Amino acid sequence: QFIGMAAASWGVAVALIASCSAGVPRVPTFSRRTLVSLAGCVTGATPAGAVALRSPDPTWSPAGDPKDPESYFAQLRAGRDEMERAIRDWTKLTRADGDTDFDGDAVRRVIGTVGVTSPLLRIDKVLDNVRKGVLADPDKYEYVDVEELVELSQEVVQGIRDTDLLAYSTIFADPSGNAGVPGQSSKAYLEKTKQALLKTMGSFDKLLKILRI
């Protein structure tokens, strides 16, 4: 919550700085959704009207021995399903068919960077535990190319970070004075967010394949 509050405050600061014109500060106008999003960073609340994807168990934990990679396979499958569902329901989820008031936080809830219910929450820790388990039992997981596993894990984690940053930028781009600016508007960032998520899904699919999930 503290991190969310700090991020929200930083977003407001960026908007204020970017809104200065000819040395005269101009207070940016925030939409109701943006303001609700700021509050959600602090409270963890879901904005009214947001599309509710399937709510996974908020206490995702290993299904068995935490040292056994298979204990995380169900969570990894669920994470892949969440991303696919988000892409399928993208327009409704993010209000992408409009011209303003896009919901970047809806995407961030899917990828586990906002809230605590996504199976992708702390995916870096999950993948690290899978890697350790594979290395600890080379006979059982002799079919896994460890080098490829590490590379794909890094791609997935970086993809989640990139998607999060772009989704966050979606919230504040227009209020910062970039509405209508080619490549810098909230709508432009929303499309970049979708492409980043699709790219992350591609890496995720390869990861699941080498683990035979």
Side-chain angles (χ1 to χ4, degrees):
Q1 289 183 347
F2 175 79
I3 294 174
M5 186 185 302
S9 299
W10 174 248
V12 173
V14 169
L16 288 170
I17 293 172
S19 68
C20 292
S21 177
V24 180
R26 172 171 56 84
V27 177
T29 300
F30 291 95
S31 68
R32 180 178 181 278
R33 178 169 293 278
T34 300
L35 293 174
V36 171
S37 177
L38 288 172
C41 289
V42 179
T43 64
T46 300
V51 176
L53 299 183
R54 178 183 60 81
S55 296
D57 187 339
T59 56
W60 282 102
S61 58
D65 183 353
K67 294 182 180 180
D68 185 349
E70 291 185 0
S71 297
Y72 301 93
F73 284 5
Q75 182 175 351
L76 291 175
R77 278 193 297 266
R80 171 56 173 76
D81 290 345
E82 284 297 290
M83 289 190 285
E84 182 177 19
R85 207 173 349 260
I87 293 298
R88 185 180 64 235
D89 299 333
W90 188 260
T91 298
K92 193 174 182 181
L93 176 71
T94 64
R95 297 178 177 249
D97 56 342
D99 294 318
T100 59
D101 213 18
F102 306 113
D103 192 356
D105 270 348
V107 180
R108 300 175 76 206
R109 280 188 288 276
V110 169
I111 62 176
T113 55
V114 166
V116 296
T117 60
S118 171
L120 294 170
L121 179 69
R122 292 188 289 275
I123 190 64
D124 55 334
K125 302 298 183 184
V126 171
L127 293 176
D128 190 47
N129 286 336
V130 169
R131 176 188 61 81
K132 290 177 181 178
V134 168
L135 289 173
D137 196 346
D139 291 333
K140 181 178 181 179
Y141 296 102
E142 52 84 22
Y143 60 87
V144 177
D145 183 326
V146 178
E147 184 176 345
E148 187 177 10
L149 173 63
V150 171
E151 289 179 358
L152 289 172
S153 295
Q154 291 173 341
E155 287 181 14
V156 168
V157 172
Q158 186 60 51
I160 293 292
R161 290 172 179 165
D162 291 344
T163 303
D164 177 61
L165 178 60
L166 291 166
Y168 182 75
S169 298
T170 295
I171 302 170
F172 295 104
D174 282 357
S176 298
N178 290 319
V181 179
Q184 298 298 318
S185 66
S186 288
K187 191 158 191 171
Y189 274 112
L190 187 63
E191 179 58 29
K192 293 176 184 179
T193 302
K194 184 177 183 180
Q195 295 307 314
L197 185 58
L198 282 168
K199 181 179 179 180
T200 304
M201 281 178 59
S203 297
F204 212 99
D205 284 341
K206 294 177 183 177
L207 179 70
L208 297 185
K209 185 176 181 180
I210 67 170
L211 289 172
R212 298 183 180 177
I213 300 178

